Amino acid sequence: MSNQQTKSIHGWSLEERDPKFIESFMPIWEWFYRNYFRVRTDGWENIPPEGQVMIVGSHNGGMATPDMIMMMYDWFRRYGTERLAYGLMHPYAWEVSPALGNIAQKTGAIAAHPKPANAALKKGASVLVYPGGQYDMFRTYNQRYNINFAGNKAFIKLALRHEVPIIPAISVGAHETLIVLGDFYELVKQLNDRGLPWLYQLDPGVFPIYLGLPWGLAIGPLPNIPFPVQIHTRICKPIIFEKYGKEVAKNRDYVDACYDLVCTKMQQEMDKLAREVNNNS
């Protein structure tokens, strides 16, 4: 595929990232960081001052994903806008709202697809990945402290292939900015099979019912305004695998073992942070 063809696909270009555009958003993000979500964060010493890393996070808070945006703000205020970093975003974002997708692209978003992700890592950039996607961001309230990557192991293969350390990022509080009561996807999928079309002609994979602003009670993966709940984030110690390289990235058993290791360590860190926050509340 030619460079021109690649640039024409939403979210595939690495050239749309605009440091000056990012800087224009910093005062807005800072207000939400300090006044609305009152973020408490630690562990940033686990990210080396130079070089590339893969930050792997757990998605929270529905489509608003406030902890992800606060994570971006934290990165930019600590390392500046010139330290190259990209965030993988679901390609559906450009399908649903090309305008918002293009705004996100200016802040460093690229499509969650192997080709742009590989290109970013080859360029020497760090990447921010949320493997659980919509399954993670709309998990039910009683699962708010659970890591759910939905079996997505593509990020493991990327880390192995490019020999970059994985640094987990977890948060407590962000998944209480809306209250997900349940997921009715299977029922709605049956209706779709009988002729009911998906909104935007896109299968969302989830169909939650939740309490949140501005709807009160919302049905479906609708955008929301987060409740002003305090967010606690933690950057964990790097996870280093025993072997790296293109060959081990093709070994299914090894990839599975690495995936299980990441999920286990992140769940342990999540449990620890949740205990700390709840004991101090």
Side-chain angles (χ1 to χ4, degrees), residues 65 90 109 154 167 230 252 275:
T65 59
H90 202 298
I167 298 183
Q230 185 173 36
R252 181 177 299 179
R275 284 195 302 269

Side-chain angles (χ1 to χ4, degrees), residues 179-198:
I179 309 299
V180 182
L181 303 175
D183 183 7
F184 290 91
Y185 175 77
E186 292 302 326
L187 174 60
V188 180
K189 179 69 166 60
Q190 292 178 21
L191 296 176
N192 174 259
D193 292 341
R194 295 177 183 178
L196 179 69
W198 294 117

